[in-house]
Each structure stands twice: as C-alpha cells, then as structure tokens.
C-alpha cells in the first residue's frame, strides 16, 4: 500500500502559505464529483479547504484484466467481488469535497488473485488460488 499523506500535507502547506491557489487544488472533474455521490464512502475528515463538509472517499480500479471496468469508480462491496474473481488490479483512493471540489489521491494498493504465472512458481502444486486482500 502506498500512502500519499506527506504529499497531501505538503500541498496544503503550499495552499495555506498562498504559494498555490485554491483554484489549482479545487479542480475535481464532474465525473469525479458524480462518482463521489454514487460510489463514494463518507469519511470523518473535514475538507481542509472549505471546512464545510466531510470528505468523500472514491475508489478507482485499474488493470489490464478488468476490461471495461478499468478506470471506473467502485464501492467497497464491488471491490470485494472483483478481488475474488479477477487477477491483480490496482485501487486508487481519492478524497473529494463535493462542495468546493478539493480532491487528492490518498492511497493506492493492489487487490485480486495473484496471476497464474506467479501462482505456479509460488505455490508448488497448490490448487487453491492465492488472493490479495485489502488487509495484506
């Protein structure tokens, strides 16, 4: 898992110091805002820019084995189903404020079954496919 907290903190320091404009960081696309509304998960963190609402976390999936699903937002339940049925794919979690359009990449991680070429080298005859979960 990769955590982007230091990048976030640095960017916010630039905004608070006036070296980066609010318009440069509050630029969520309409697609991201819609994804936050329909696929997002509310967080307990208040928006660091407008301080008017709690941020929403949106999980985006990317991977060659996902086909047309790649590049789309998914709920936590959908992530579990995809992880059980698909080979490795990456998940990028973005926080977004639906009021001021602040958005920032929070973390990224890998889910899904280990690809068969890797599985055969690791498992030496095991018939149960290995899977990666969000807790690994």
């Amino acid at each position: 898992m990769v955590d982007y907290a230091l990048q976030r903190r640095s960017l916010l320091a630039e905004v608070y110091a006036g070296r980066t404009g609010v318009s440069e960081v509050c630029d969520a696309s309409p697609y991201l805002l819609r994804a936050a509304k329909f696929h997002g998960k509310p967080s307990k963190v208040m928006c660091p820019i407008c301080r008017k609402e709690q941020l929403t976390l949106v999980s985006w999936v990317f991977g060659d084995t996902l086909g047309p699903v790649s590049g789309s937002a998914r709920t936590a339940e959908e992530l579990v189903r995809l992880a059980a049925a698909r080979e490795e794919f990456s998940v990028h979690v973005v926080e977004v404020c639906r009021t001021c359009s602040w958005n920032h990449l929070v973390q990224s991680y890998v889910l899904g079954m280990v690809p068969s070429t890797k599985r055969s080298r690791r498992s030496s005859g095991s018939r149960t496919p290995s899977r990666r979960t969000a807790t690994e």
Side-chain angles (χ1 to χ4, degrees):
M1 176 168 28
V2 178
D3 187 310
Y4 297 91
L6 290 176
Q7 275 186 335
R8 180 185 190 272
R9 193 173 307 143
S10 174
L11 180 59
L12 288 171
E14 294 290 312
V15 172
Y16 296 152
R19 291 185 291 270
T20 299
V22 171
S23 62
E24 293 178 54
V25 297
C26 293
D27 60 351
S29 71
Y31 187 62
L32 175 56
L33 294 170
R34 269 193 310 277
K37 181 177 180 180
F38 295 107
H39 300 284
K41 175 183 169 188
S43 77
K44 295 180 180 180
V45 178
M46 289 298 288
C47 176
I49 302 297
C50 72
R51 303 187 195 304
K52 292 182 180 176
E53 74 171 67
Q54 293 174 319
L55 296 171
T56 301
L57 301 175
V58 182
S59 296
W60 297 89
V61 295
F62 298 94
D64 295 336
T65 63
L66 295 177
V69 172
S70 183
S72 63
R74 297 292 156 176
T75 64
E77 296 80 16
E78 290 171 317
L79 290 176
V80 170
R81 284 195 301 272
L82 284 171
R86 302 290 180 111
E87 287 188 355
E88 290 181 343
F89 59 93
S90 61
V91 179
H92 297 243
V93 181
V94 177
E95 64 182 14
V96 62
C97 175
R98 293 174 46 203
T99 298
C100 73
S101 296
W102 156 264
N103 63 103
H104 195 272
L105 178 63
V106 177
Q107 64 181 213
S108 61
Y109 55 92
V110 175
L111 287 179
M113 297 185 300
V114 176
S116 55
T117 56
K118 289 183 183 178
R119 222 181 302 150
S120 61
R121 281 186 275 155
R122 288 184 186 173
S123 60
S124 65
S126 173
R127 294 180 190 250
T128 307
S130 299
R131 286 187 306 163
R132 290 186 182 204
T133 62
T135 59
E136 286 183 4

